[in-house]
Amino acid sequence: MPRILQLTPFVLCSSLSRQIAFYCDRLGFACGFTQDNYAFLKLGPVAIRLLECPPRADGLPLGHEQSFYIDVEDIDDLYESLRPKLEDLPEGRVRAPFDQPYQQREFHVLDEDGTLIFFGEGIR
């Protein structure tokens, strides 16, 4: 059977350059490729594909109801390392680590277009 390598979600954005800056400068991703309205970003084994799109007809942010989950180790250490780059975001864009009833410790970040990024680690 063929081996599955990774999942790379498409993340819609209104400004490719603004989203690249957000993911690279604030979350530590590296931009591996960009062309026209598309960019490929990677952070260790995690990758995303940014796709610049026109505004939604309903006026909602492009990331409305869009999310993805990144499983990590040492979530509190990761949050502390990212916190200086996240703390100046507007109120409601970052949720500090907390325990979920489904045995995950998580923190959440909203990107520039409202996509919700979950970082999580299983509680032992």
Side-chain angles (χ1 to χ4, degrees):
M1 181 174 167
R3 198 173 120 218
I4 305 295
L5 298 178
Q6 69 181 12
L7 172 70
T8 56
F10 278 93
V11 177
L12 306 181
C13 61
S14 59
S15 168
L16 192 61
S17 60
R18 193 174 72 167
Q19 279 289 56
I20 290 170
F22 177 83
Y23 280 92
C24 292
D25 298 344
R26 294 190 186 266
L27 299 180
F29 280 78
C31 185
F33 177 81
T34 183
Q35 182 177 358
D36 302 326
N37 68 331
Y38 170 83
F40 180 81
L41 307 180
K42 198 154 175 68
L43 177 62
V46 174
I48 61 171
R49 299 169 188 274
L50 297 177
L51 188 61
E52 188 176 81
C53 299
R56 289 173 49 140
D58 60 11
L60 291 171
L62 285 171
H64 182 73
E65 297 181 351
Q66 184 173 274
S67 62
F68 60 93
Y69 201 102
I70 301 174
D71 293 284
V72 304
E73 292 179 345
D74 302 318
I75 191 162
D76 291 304
D77 290 343
L78 175 62
Y79 178 76
E80 284 306 312
S81 72
L82 295 176
R83 191 169 55 83
K85 297 176 182 178
L86 299 174
E87 61 190 5
D88 67 332
L89 289 172
E91 180 82 24
R93 294 265 313 265
V94 178
R95 185 171 182 190
F98 66 102
D99 294 342
Q100 292 279 23
Y102 46 84
Q103 298 303 300
Q104 288 289 108
R105 183 158 177 78
E106 297 177 351
F107 69 87
H108 304 159
V109 180
L110 279 173
D111 77 8
E112 296 294 313
D113 287 292
T115 297
L116 179 57
I117 307 155
F118 293 81
F119 292 86
E121 175 180 28
I123 297 172
R124 297 177 244 265

